[in-house]
Amino acid sequence: MKSLTRKLMSVIIAASFCFGLASCSGKTTSVSSAASETTTAAETKASESSSAAESKAEVKTVTAGKLIMATNATFPPYEFHEGDKIVGIDAEIAKAIADKLGLELVIEDVAFDSIIAGVQAGKYDIGCAGMTVTEDRLKSVNFSTSYATGIQSIIVKEGSEIKTIDDLIKGKYKVGVQSGTTGDIYMSDAENGGVGEDRIDRYNNGNDAVVALMSGKVDAVCIDNEPAKSYVAANKSLVILDTPFTEEKYAIAVNKDNEALLNAINKALEELTADGTIAKIIEKYIPSK
Ligand code: ARG
């Protein structure tokens, strides 16, 4: 168990300002006719002290006037479907950021494990999906400042003989995970305290993993704590096991070549934190009492 905790600690990075190259991607289009194609070092510096609203002229997005957000909306309370809308903490934070930047937010619901590649390929402007900052992901994308945290949880059926995470690791039990998530990464690594590849069943989304647990296809599901709580609240026959996992930091993924967008998002997040908007959004979906 100790080794798993250690592994988690080494994988998860404290999210702060993660800047990439200053060059702008040729694939992107300008949101403002006044915005120049390239940003000089001096301009970048000047923008660092200006407000999110002031920096919007420099921001280029995949489609002019839009902020395309990739997410996977089976992750309540961060993103989930409500009627024909995608709502949740990430959807509202992204909307508040888009408003500050004078952009229209467009949310695309895609497979979680395709988000980073899509941001990297210039298909989406941002990945906003309760996404944990990891060393590995930082090789492909930049991350904004962190706006929330999570911890991996284990869900089992009520009355399961799995009472602790040690029971889960030592037994022959199968674990359902959402493909490409940190839960998947930790649980598949037998050498570092996970159950190992052979005992993992990967699902396209958290909901499918929970359905597999309910029908007995897997014995447990490893997923972030807030979605775990939501799934357990909706299915009374499920319970959450305490885990010693380390806190993960959630942040917004941005293409490494779009430093102007990363800076503008960080500025917007700073302002939305300072004026209490972020706290209000989180409180709406995760009431403190
Ligand atoms: N925090 C975990 C990760 O980054 C899980 C995120 C899953 N998010 C989602 N919207 N389905 O890997």
Side-chain angles (χ1 to χ4, degrees):
M1 179 47 11
K2 278 226 175 74
S3 63
L4 178 58
T5 311
R6 259 203 309 276
K7 165 81 176 168
L8 303 194
M9 290 175 72
S10 72
V11 171
I12 299 158
I13 296 288
S16 61
F17 295 88
C18 315
F19 296 118
L21 298 169
S23 66
C24 291
S25 162
K27 283 186 217 105
T28 58
T29 49
S30 173
V31 292
S32 157
S33 53
S36 60
E37 262 319 293
T38 53
T39 308
T40 65
E43 279 166 345
T44 305
K45 212 166 178 126
S47 78
E48 276 165 20
S49 55
S50 63
S51 70
E54 280 160 3
S55 67
K56 70 186 183 196
E58 292 161 24
V59 172
K60 294 176 177 65
T61 55
V62 173
T63 303
K66 298 193 167 157
L67 183 69
I68 304 179
M69 156 179 163
T71 196
N72 176 265
T74 56
F75 201 68
Y78 287 93
E79 43 266 334
F80 55 102
H81 288 268
E82 203 172 75
D84 57 358
K85 276 179 67 187
I86 292 171
V87 297
I89 295 170
D90 287 338
E92 290 205 23
I93 291 178
K95 174 78 171 70
I97 292 171
D99 284 351
K100 278 203 178 275
L101 303 183
L103 299 169
E104 179 201 340
L105 180 69
V106 178
I107 303 182
E108 292 202 19
D109 189 10
V110 301
F112 181 79
D113 57 9
S114 73
I115 296 176
I116 300 239
V119 169
Q120 213 179 0
K123 222 168 139 184
Y124 318 119
D125 294 302
I126 58 171
C128 186
M131 191 177 279
T132 305
V133 180
T134 70
E135 267 176 63
D136 206 42
R137 290 172 182 168
L138 277 167
K139 289 179 195 151
S140 311
V141 288
N142 282 334
F143 278 101
S144 70
T145 3
S146 173
Y147 59 88
T149 57
I151 300 175
Q152 292 304 307
S153 283
I154 303 294
I155 313 178
V156 294
K157 276 203 204 165
E158 208 171 36
S160 163
E161 46 189 24
I162 307 166
K163 304 285 181 216
T164 65
I165 181 135
D166 277 343
D167 293 344
L168 176 69
I169 310 284
K170 286 184 198 130
K172 296 260 173 276
Y173 305 107
K174 276 226 159 224
V175 182
V177 294
Q178 181 179 8
S179 187
T181 57
T182 41
D184 178 3
I185 297 163
Y186 307 151
M187 279 295 147
S188 0
D189 191 352
E191 274 162 37
N192 287 291
V195 297
E197 223 17 75
D198 305 348
R199 286 167 50 199
I200 290 288
D201 268 359
R202 295 194 171 87
Y203 295 91
N204 281 335
N205 59 62
N207 193 56
D208 288 355
V210 171
V211 168
L213 173 63
M214 304 277 282
S215 68
K217 281 206 190 99
V218 295
D219 305 292
V221 165
C222 181
I223 193 165
D224 302 47
N225 57 333
E226 286 302 333
K229 282 188 219 159
S230 296
Y231 282 121
V232 169
N235 301 285
K236 298 284 178 233
S237 61
L238 301 178
V239 289
I240 297 177
L241 300 184
D242 284 339
T243 60
F245 293 137
T246 306
E247 194 166 83
E248 304 181 16
K249 295 205 182 304
Y250 295 167
I252 299 170
V254 182
N255 188 293
K256 274 191 188 275
D257 290 337
N258 201 344
E259 198 185 353
L261 179 60
L262 179 71
N263 290 340
I265 288 174
N266 279 334
K267 252 174 257 157
L269 280 172
E270 204 181 308
E271 292 167 15
L272 294 164
T273 303
D275 72 7
T277 306
I278 304 274
K280 220 168 116 190
I281 294 170
I282 294 177
E283 180 68 28
K284 173 176 167 189
Y285 289 95
I286 310 175
S288 46
K289 52 176 177 267

